[in-house]
Amino acid sequence: MRVFAVAVALTLPFCAQAQDHGPILSDTVEAHILPGFAALSDATATLTQAAQTDCAPGSPQLRAAFHKAFDDWISVSHLRFGPTEVQDRAFALAFWPDTKGFTPKALTGLIATEDTAVRSPEAFAETSIAGRGFFALEQMLYDPRFSEQGSEAYRCALVQAIAADIDGNASAINTDWASYATALTQPGGDSPYRSDDEAMQELYKALITGLEFTSDTRLGRPMGIFHRPRPSRAEARRSERSLRHVELSLAALRELAIRLSADHPGIAADLDDAFAKAITRAQSLDDPSFADVATPQGRLRVEALQQSISDIRAIASAELGPTLGISAGFNSLDGD
Amino acid sequence: MTSRRHFLAGLAAASLTPVQGWASVGAPDYLAAALFPDGTYRLAGLETGGDIVFSLPLPARGHAAAAHPKRAQAVAFARRPGTFAIVIDCTTGTEIARLEAPVGRHFYGHGIFSLDGTRLFTTENDYEAGEGVIGIWDADDHTRLGEFSSGGIGPHDMRLMPDGQTLVIANGGIETHPETGRTKLNLPVMQPRLSYVDLSGSVLEQVELPRALQKNSIRHLAMRQDGLVGFAMQWQGDKTQHPPLLGLHRRGETPRLLSAAETDQSSLQGYAGSIAFAGDGETIAITCPRGNALHQYSIANETLAHAYHLEDVCGLGSGPDGFVFTTGTGIVGQLSGKQARVAARPDCQWDNHLIPIRTTV
């Protein structure tokens, strides 16, 4: 047996050279994160008021408020850490994908039993997470199967309860960000981040997972495989928001990417170019709910968009990641 | 406790004797997949001292393997969502057969032979239904005999209980679909569980964690010869929380969860990769490649006995005198007492697991 009696060296993982990330952290928090969650909270307040004023699914004011608030959520939905993760707030705002149809089941259950939870925000927050949030509201407003289930009075109360619950979560996230902003910009002490590097890595991860989600899930689910596209799996297809979500998320991720690469103008320019190409491609699609993936031509166009997002991901991991001390461990990044 | 200690040590020693068919290939102690220096993915037979006694090419990145209890044969699984597994004759290095997952299924990367070596069981995803299944294969002619429910979603690792009649399955709870890559589709409603099923698929016992740990995915398993099951977890919830990543379970009882002090626990980034009992059965360890740590616990005290800092450590198995581990940086090492030492540096990037070659009782 061949054994070297050598103590295992206490090797530290690769660390980036000490850099002052303070300005980038402050800028990202103050110009990207806080305004995003403040806008969302304002929009959900308007949404819940609109539902109180007129809860009819066809109400133009209610639908407009729904679209505005949903827009504002998608624009911050890549920031999945800290306040969004407390008590599953982000999942309560957006339960998607819904692979097993839990949302319609939850709504049908509430309506069929006339569940009194709709009368109290606390009780409603305890109901199934699948029957809450933007996707539940979308089905109440746009899916014909819910336009006649149960009584009109109960459907109205349910729409109002979902809107109020959305507003409760959005405003709680916004409130918590006031203190979490300090934790992210001033690591150490009580902060969950021990250093600037760790705080930067959190933001970098938000960029990477945001790109991944838009590419693999927002586009990947409706694309399916070539011989079996799945247009009915597109995100928010009932309100024809599928493509809009891709555009909004790319715009938000572009803004984040440019801020994170502020110290490296070359990388910032590469990322900006790659985002510009992807966004141009998305804007040229003219297929709001990805219904065209059912045709070979339509599917190819979405595939090209997906490829252009892969290009952004490649630049981010090859150029931006290493500047932040992100090393690709063989097992540590495997996730199995 | 002396008598119990000797009893356990005796069992462990017996279990580490390689079985006869394997002697013809140089009697390796473990199988492990790796990326070799020449850029090829291979399955290697490893000695505890770190010598590679054989290595065979794989068509893609491997994950785990199953060693036949009698013949020098191994089934190597591709990393999920792979749709093939390769049956390899380890005496000749040739592929004997290729198991193709049926339409609508993919492998999760783990499998296990029955005690008599006539059946192979594989963890699989019925991805249209989003449900876990266990595939049953004839280990002689490599045909598929059938399948049954794994008792949950996302079955990953699986072990045969010492009775030879019961499988324990780590249903990680996470739904994925090959069309969306490795995207986790059901985190808000995931429900991991440890499922005990008999070999015909009847569910005997379902073990779930407390509600606050509903996002703690049970992924990997270790079996002590008296039926004590160790399970390693991967936290999918709020990253500011640092829940236990190691559990112990005995049939019919409530699981016990083991955790280090907050400063140690928080460094693990909520991720354990492999788990094994020590050779003497007195301690159990998990490897944590994201935290670059190996945590060894005393089973009697349920406390952390020692924490080792080891970069990208993942593969872990019982050693003659403690544990054997591998790292993604190329090390094969041994732990005994409170010492870690490098046994060899074959310059391979070792993949997640070390699969012991031994009889199951």
Side-chain angles (χ1 to χ4, degrees):
Chain A
M1 186 183 289
R2 184 164 54 98
V3 173
F4 301 120
V6 179
V8 172
L10 298 184
T11 33
L12 285 165
F14 171 73
C15 287
Q17 289 193 327
Q19 277 181 26
D20 181 13
H21 294 307
I24 290 183
L25 289 168
S26 299
D27 170 63
T28 305
V29 166
E30 282 159 25
H32 180 69
I33 299 176
L34 295 180
F37 284 110
L40 172 64
S41 178
D42 287 348
T44 59
T46 306
L47 172 64
T48 189
Q49 279 160 16
Q52 288 299 327
T53 310
D54 185 358
C55 61
S59 155
Q61 290 78 14
L62 178 55
R63 286 190 169 195
F66 161 79
H67 281 294
K68 173 70 172 77
F70 211 168
D71 279 1
D72 288 344
W73 163 248
I74 296 303
S75 299
V76 293
S77 64
H78 57 294
L79 301 166
R80 291 294 305 271
F81 54 89
T84 57
E85 304 315 293
V86 177
Q87 294 168 347
D88 276 348
R89 286 169 186 158
F91 286 124
L93 285 174
F95 185 87
W96 189 83
D98 179 16
T99 58
K100 297 190 176 175
F102 286 134
T103 295
K105 270 180 224 162
L107 293 173
T108 299
L110 290 166
I111 295 169
T113 59
E114 301 226 326
D115 194 320
T116 55
V118 294
R119 290 185 209 152
S120 125
E122 295 76 25
F124 193 71
E126 293 299 311
T127 62
S128 164
I129 199 163
R132 299 158 56 202
F134 287 109
F135 290 93
L137 187 56
E138 187 207 22
Q139 296 203 20
M140 291 305 296
L141 300 188
Y142 290 91
D143 193 325
R145 86 167 113 173
F146 292 110
S147 59
E148 287 183 0
Q149 264 188 45
S151 72
E152 193 178 346
Y154 188 81
R155 290 197 304 270
C156 176
L158 181 53
V159 164
Q160 290 170 339
I162 297 171
D165 182 67
I166 289 173
D167 186 42
N169 277 311
S171 110
I173 295 171
N174 187 43
T175 303
D176 284 5
W177 257 105
S179 58
Y180 204 80
T182 313
L184 195 62
T185 51
Q186 295 167 30
D190 288 343
S191 166
Y193 309 101
R194 287 171 299 183
S195 64
D196 274 18
D197 280 344
E198 283 191 6
M200 286 294 283
Q201 286 164 10
E202 181 81 279
L203 294 171
Y204 172 80
K205 230 180 326 176
L207 172 66
I208 295 297
T209 49
L211 287 167
E212 227 172 66
F213 188 76
T214 291
S215 166
D216 292 357
T217 311
R218 288 192 169 118
L219 296 178
R221 270 186 79 74
M223 283 170 67
I225 51 174
F226 188 79
H227 297 292
R228 196 186 51 204
R230 306 278 200 177
S232 67
R233 289 182 176 175
E235 185 189 27
R237 65 182 166 82
R238 293 171 180 82
S239 53
E240 299 201 313
R241 296 182 51 86
S242 316
L243 176 61
R244 181 160 183 77
H245 286 191
V246 172
E247 294 183 39
L248 288 166
S249 77
L250 286 174
L253 292 164
R254 180 191 208 172
E255 193 188 302
L256 175 61
I258 300 310
R259 292 183 193 285
L260 292 183
S261 51
D263 287 344
H264 302 273
I267 298 172
D270 287 352
L271 283 166
D272 201 46
D273 281 354
F275 270 106
K277 283 188 186 118
I279 290 168
T280 305
R281 223 165 227 167
Q283 285 169 343
S284 69
L285 270 186
D286 191 28
D287 180 15
S289 62
F290 295 136
D292 290 352
V293 297
T295 70
Q297 278 306 312
R299 192 181 183 284
L300 279 176
R301 283 193 289 268
V302 176
E303 203 173 299
L305 172 57
Q306 196 180 40
Q307 181 56 49
S308 65
I309 300 175
S310 297
D311 295 344
I312 307 172
R313 288 163 72 175
I315 295 170
S317 55
E319 298 184 24
L320 183 57
T323 70
L324 304 174
I326 312 278
S327 65
F330 192 60
N331 288 309
S332 63
L333 291 185
D334 178 54
D336 244 334
Chain B
M1 295 298 282
T2 316
S3 60
R4 181 172 164 275
R5 187 185 302 268
H6 284 160
F7 167 70
L8 291 172
L11 279 177
S15 74
L16 280 167
T17 312
V19 282
Q20 222 169 15
W22 287 94
S24 58
V25 289
D29 299 301
Y30 306 97
L31 298 173
L35 174 60
F36 272 59
D38 64 358
T40 58
Y41 290 105
R42 302 177 79 86
L43 180 73
L46 267 184
E47 282 189 342
T48 55
D51 278 352
I52 298 173
V53 298
F54 66 81
S55 81
L56 314 168
L58 296 174
R61 181 169 178 179
H63 183 68
H68 194 282
K70 294 181 176 159
R71 301 191 289 266
Q73 277 182 12
V75 179
F77 295 96
R79 184 167 170 261
R80 75 181 165 90
T83 53
F84 62 87
I86 297 169
V87 186
I88 297 170
D89 180 339
C90 296
T91 58
T92 59
T94 51
E95 179 178 323
I96 302 171
R98 196 170 277 222
L99 310 183
E100 299 276 351
V103 174
R105 306 281 180 274
H106 71 71
F107 293 119
Y108 271 114
H110 288 266
I112 195 121
F113 283 95
S114 61
L115 214 51
D116 62 6
T118 62
R119 296 281 181 274
L120 172 72
F121 300 95
T122 53
T123 51
E124 300 173 7
N125 188 9
D126 172 359
Y127 49 80
E128 288 305 322
E131 298 290 338
V133 299
I134 304 301
I136 313 163
W137 306 79
D138 186 309
D140 296 318
D141 66 13
H142 309 111
T143 53
R144 188 176 180 87
L145 301 174
E147 65 180 34
F148 51 74
S149 164
S150 74
I153 294 172
H156 198 71
D157 202 358
M158 171 169 55
R159 287 284 189 280
L160 195 61
M161 297 294 285
D163 67 6
Q165 302 301 315
T166 311
L167 292 167
V168 55
I169 301 157
N171 281 300
I174 298 173
E175 183 183 350
T176 56
H177 191 295
E179 289 168 17
T180 44
R182 293 161 74 92
T183 309
K184 297 155 186 163
L185 298 171
N186 68 332
L187 291 185
V189 290
M190 66 180 279
Q191 181 59 71
R193 55 174 79 105
L194 212 52
S195 301
Y196 293 86
V197 302
D198 69 22
L199 301 187
S200 60
S202 300
V203 177
L204 306 174
E205 185 176 351
Q206 294 276 36
V207 182
E208 295 185 353
L209 302 175
R211 190 165 159 68
L213 296 177
Q214 173 226 327
K215 291 202 185 73
N216 217 1
S217 181
I218 301 174
R219 289 299 186 89
H220 292 105
L221 301 171
M223 178 68 63
R224 199 168 73 174
Q225 295 306 307
D226 63 347
L228 181 65
V229 174
F231 55 96
M233 293 167 279
Q234 297 174 1
W235 178 241
Q236 307 292 329
D238 185 350
K239 279 169 292 190
T240 60
Q241 294 172 35
H242 310 108
L245 300 177
L246 169 61
L248 294 169
H249 183 251
R250 199 180 277 286
R251 285 286 311 273
E253 296 180 3
T254 304
R256 291 176 290 154
L257 301 178
L258 280 57
S259 187
E262 178 66 12
T263 46
D264 272 321
Q265 195 69 18
S266 65
S267 71
L268 304 181
Q269 299 189 35
Y271 185 94
S274 285
I275 181 167
F277 285 97
D280 65 5
E282 299 277 341
T283 63
I284 187 165
I286 49 173
T287 51
C288 305
R290 293 185 183 170
N292 297 301
L294 188 156
H295 277 189
Q296 184 179 356
Y297 285 82
S298 155
I299 293 170
N301 304 333
E302 299 185 6
T303 53
L304 183 71
H306 201 61
Y308 300 87
H309 184 103
L310 297 164
E311 194 178 347
D312 208 21
V313 63
C314 204
L316 185 67
S318 305
D321 187 22
F323 296 94
V324 173
F325 64 87
T326 55
T327 74
T329 60
I331 290 172
V332 180
Q334 298 180 352
L335 294 186
S336 62
K338 288 191 173 179
Q339 280 210 312
R341 60 180 184 173
V342 176
R345 272 181 201 275
D347 205 22
C348 302
Q349 293 186 271
W350 295 107
D351 237 306
N352 304 47
H353 302 301
L354 272 176
I355 310 301
I357 295 171
R358 59 189 177 192
T359 53
T360 32
V361 285

